[in-house]
Amino acid sequence: MSRIEDKIKEIQDESEATREDPYPEGTVGTHPNLAGSVVQSVRLPAAEFAKIEQIAREAELPVSALIRGWVLNSLAARENATLKDAVNRLISDADELRRFIDRDPAA
C-alpha cells in the first residue's frame, strides 16, 4: 500500500471504531454538496453495468462514486484544467493501472 492508502485505511479504521460515539459538544452537521447536487438517472445495458459493478467492487467504491468520478474527471479534462487537476488525474490513472496490474499478474 502507498502512504496515501495507509493514511486512508487509518482514518477509516478510526471512523469505524468511533462511529457509535456521540458527536463532540457544539458539532453542527452540514451537507454542503446537497444544495447544488442534481440526481440524473442513466440507462445502461445490464452487461455493461455488471462490468461497472465489478470495477467498483475491485476499487472498494460505491458504484455511484465510481461513475460520479468518471463523469467529473471527463468534465475537468474538457475544461481549462490547472496543473493540480492534471496531476490529480494522473494519480487517479496510475491508481487504476496499479489495480489492473494487481488483478492480472501477466500484465
Side-chain angles (χ1 to χ4, degrees):
M1 270 190 204
S2 71
R3 288 180 299 154
I4 292 172
E5 291 169 327
D6 289 341
K7 187 63 175 176
I8 290 170
K9 179 72 172 132
E10 176 186 326
I11 291 168
Q12 287 174 328
D13 290 345
E14 178 186 359
S15 175
E16 283 300 311
T18 61
R19 74 183 194 173
E20 300 299 328
D21 293 355
Y23 289 115
E25 188 175 324
T27 300
V28 177
T30 63
H31 299 283
N33 294 327
L34 290 183
S37 294
V38 175
V39 176
Q40 175 63 51
S41 178
V42 178
R43 189 175 312 274
L44 298 169
E48 299 304 316
F49 187 73
K51 292 176 187 176
I52 293 170
E53 287 180 311
Q54 180 61 35
I55 292 168
R57 269 193 303 279
E58 290 170 2
E60 298 180 356
L61 289 171
V63 170
S64 61
L66 179 70
I67 293 171
R68 183 173 40 255
W70 286 347
V71 169
L72 294 176
N73 282 340
S74 294
L75 286 173
R78 295 180 61 103
E79 296 175 355
N80 293 328
T82 65
L83 179 58
K84 181 179 178 181
D85 295 333
V87 169
N88 286 335
R89 275 195 313 280
L90 183 59
I91 290 169
S92 177
D93 290 346
D95 287 343
E96 180 62 28
L97 286 171
R98 192 174 300 113
R99 283 190 290 274
F100 176 75
I101 290 169
D102 288 346
R103 72 176 175 263
D104 185 0

